[in-house]
Amino acid sequence: MSADTSAPIRAPEPPAPPPVPLSATARLGASLRRAAPALGLYAASRLIGLVCMAVWAGWVGKHPRTLLGYSWDSVWYVGIVRHGYNSTLPPDPAKHGVTLSDMAFFPLFPTLMRTLTTVLPITAVTAGLVVAWVSAGVAAWGIHAVGERLHGRRVGTALVVLWGLLPHAIVQSMAYTEPLLTALAAWSLYAVLTRRWVWAGTLALLAGASRPNGIAVAAAVCCCAAAEVLGRRASWRVWAGAALSPLGWLGYLAWVGYRRGSWHGYFAVQDEWGSRFDFGVNALRFVRSLLISRAAFAYFVALVILGVALVLFALLTADRPPLPLLIYTLVLVAITFGGSGYFASKPRFLLPAFPLLLPVAVAMARARPRTAVLLGGALAGLSFVYGTYLLTVARIPI
């Protein structure tokens, strides 16, 4: 008996249509939804740290808002907002009668502050805190995006949590420029990783206008663009990104030079502040004196943090990270260790160097949940206590 051959033959199904590419807004929305748990943990950690600091500040008779928004460098930014670049300090006998100039401070942060005071009925101090807090949130989002792209969502979350629990993390809640630089750097590096060269260059331009060490972002973009050119894969976007990236940093140096009447005007300003690049000679001398004399507790903590940073940089290098992260971190570490003066501030200068935390984030994501929670709890206790100490007890520049 023959097989039944009367069944109809099915025509082959047409191929599935290619997926519709998401718009930029949709991509950002999806990224934000994926980052939401990390951002929630970050916000909670910073809120608890602020509450601890505020409680102790009230106990010792200090105002938390003043400590966060109008102390040390924040005083200079508020002065720039109110009076422009015209503020100086009286000659300091310890600095041989040199008058300190506010031109040492880059313009993007006070420009954003002034914009807010123009459109909203708030003071310059409040504007500085708003800019810093929003920047910190955008930075945490960008850090998650970089970590997620390299190692997955768990590592991205761990990276954000670690960044928010650094010993100097209280600075992320102050009217300082580190949160702004970190936000611009993280998203510029993400743009390089995703080959959005014009965005990378534009964000690097803004980063260079925010802080002196913002040049690290331009260095990363330019080195990666050079690799593209050498590999003969360069389009006009690569050239545009590389050309844009250093303009913010170079533009401000040119403006200060014009105001000072000298091509090296900005470096003269920094020299007056006692800040110059001497390949770490001054830092080594300070460490030697620190080890043989009594000094503030914060100096010893800074020394430990710098030592840990060197170990983390070695681990990061051994993991062979993508070129933009390696160049960016290398330049930040070189500037921090090679610069003279303000030894206690060096850990703050490393706050934007979030790729240093990648080896720890990877290990934390792979560890047992109990181990990760215990590590996070220990870091939280250290961060909250030390941040409170820095703002309310230590009498050294942060």
Side-chain angles (χ1 to χ4, degrees):
M1 185 174 179
S2 62
D4 184 8
T5 58
S6 61
I9 300 176
R10 291 185 178 182
E13 295 183 0
V20 178
L22 297 175
S23 65
T25 303
R27 288 196 303 268
L28 285 176
S31 173
L32 184 58
R33 287 191 294 272
R34 294 194 302 271
L39 297 182
L41 291 172
Y42 175 76
S45 67
R46 295 308 328 128
L47 179 60
I48 296 172
L50 288 178
V51 170
C52 293
M53 185 277 298
V55 170
W56 187 257
W59 181 263
V60 298
K62 296 182 179 180
H63 199 290
R65 179 175 176 272
T66 302
L67 293 173
L68 292 170
Y70 197 65
S71 59
W72 302 113
D73 288 3
S74 303
V75 176
W76 288 93
Y77 290 118
V78 171
I80 294 170
V81 172
R82 292 174 176 170
H83 311 294
Y85 277 97
N86 296 303
S87 301
T88 58
L89 279 182
D92 185 353
K95 295 183 177 293
H96 308 289
V98 171
T99 299
L100 302 180
S101 170
D102 57 7
M103 291 184 183
F105 299 93
F106 276 52
L108 181 59
F109 189 71
T111 298
L112 294 174
M113 291 169 60
R114 180 176 295 174
T115 301
L116 280 185
T117 59
T118 302
V119 300
L120 297 174
I122 59 176
T123 66
V125 174
T126 301
L129 291 174
V130 170
V131 173
W133 292 355
V134 172
S135 298
V138 176
W141 180 13
I143 290 171
H144 181 274
V146 172
E148 179 190 40
R149 181 166 184 85
L150 296 180
H151 299 288
R153 193 180 303 184
R154 292 186 65 183
V155 172
T157 300
L159 191 61
V160 172
V161 171
L162 289 170
W163 187 68
L165 295 179
L166 290 171
H168 279 66
I170 190 68
V171 176
Q172 299 168 17
S173 302
M174 297 176 66
Y176 269 44
T177 52
E178 276 74 17
L180 178 60
L181 172 58
T182 307
L184 295 168
W187 284 107
S188 179
L189 294 173
Y190 181 80
V192 174
L193 292 173
T194 55
R195 305 182 63 80
R196 294 176 173 87
W197 290 97
V198 177
W199 273 111
T202 302
L203 292 169
L205 183 155
L206 294 174
S210 65
R211 280 192 56 77
N213 54 357
I215 190 62
V217 188
V221 174
C222 288
C223 286
C224 293
E228 290 284 311
V229 172
L230 292 176
R232 297 185 179 181
R233 300 187 300 271
S235 66
W236 69 268
R237 292 180 176 84
V238 176
W239 290 97
L244 285 170
S245 61
L247 294 184
W249 193 81
L250 293 174
Y252 184 66
L253 265 62
W255 180 80
V256 175
Y258 172 78
R259 287 282 299 267
R260 281 291 187 111
S262 171
W263 67 270
H264 63 283
Y266 177 77
F267 299 102
V269 170
Q270 288 284 14
D271 192 60
E272 293 166 1
W273 277 81
S275 179
R276 64 186 69 87
F277 191 84
D278 63 355
F279 298 94
V281 173
N282 181 269
L284 290 176
R285 290 174 179 169
F286 186 89
V287 170
R288 184 182 63 183
S289 65
L290 183 64
L291 296 176
I292 62 177
S293 64
R294 297 179 62 184
F297 174 68
Y299 288 117
F300 289 100
V301 175
L303 179 60
V304 172
I305 292 174
L306 292 178
V308 172
L310 284 179
V311 173
L312 291 177
F313 182 71
L315 293 175
L316 177 70
T317 304
D319 285 344
R320 303 184 67 178
L323 183 62
L325 271 69
L326 181 62
I327 296 299
Y328 169 71
T329 310
L330 174 63
V331 175
L332 281 181
V333 169
I335 292 174
T336 300
F337 282 84
S340 65
Y342 302 99
F343 187 84
S345 299
K346 289 183 181 293
R348 170 169 66 87
F349 300 158
L350 286 174
L351 274 179
F354 66 90
L356 288 175
L357 302 171
L358 265 173
V360 183
V362 171
M364 193 172 177
R366 293 173 179 173
R368 295 178 179 178
R370 181 181 177 183
T371 303
V373 170
L374 289 175
L375 175 61
L379 292 175
L382 172 63
S383 178
F384 302 156
V385 172
Y386 188 64
T388 299
Y389 165 80
L390 278 180
L391 278 190
T392 62
V393 178
R395 297 181 177 180
I396 58 174
I398 298 177

